[in-house]
């Protein structure tokens, strides 16, 4: 792993720790209704952070070969 991957993994772990720590604190304080209302937002945030940390080529899934124009071979 290079430095960028390590930094991204550390940032992701920190974000997840903050999100789940906040949720645990709210649950301990008795704010279950607040957690239930914000759960979709928290889940979306975590999903976007994970997708953003992956490289662009890994996220696309496949590559398409270039197709030459008809004009290139026409005489």
């Amino acid at each position: 792993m290079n430095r960028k991957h390590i930094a991204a993994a550390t940032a992701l772990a920190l974000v997840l720790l903050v999100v789940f720590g906040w949720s645990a604190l709210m649950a301990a304080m008795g704010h279950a209704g607040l957690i239930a209302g914000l759960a979709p937002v928290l889940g979306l945030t975590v999903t976007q952070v994970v997708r953003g940390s992956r490289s662009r080529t890994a996220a696309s899934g496949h590559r398409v070969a270039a197709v030459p124009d008809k004009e290139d071979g026409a005489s």
Side-chain angles (χ1 to χ4, degrees):
M1 288 182 106
N2 61 19
R3 292 186 123 188
K4 287 185 180 181
H5 285 118
I6 294 171
T10 304
L12 179 62
L14 182 62
V15 168
L16 290 174
L17 182 66
V18 168
V19 168
F20 292 129
W22 178 82
S23 298
L25 180 66
M26 287 305 213
M29 293 173 54
H31 297 285
L34 180 64
I35 294 171
L38 292 178
V41 175
L42 294 173
L44 181 61
T45 302
V46 171
T47 302
Q48 288 177 339
V49 168
V50 169
R51 284 187 180 175
S53 67
R54 290 194 289 176
S55 67
R56 298 288 178 210
T57 57
S60 66
H62 64 1
R63 293 185 183 190
V64 178
V67 177
D69 293 334
K70 292 181 181 179
E71 299 168 356
D72 292 341
S75 299

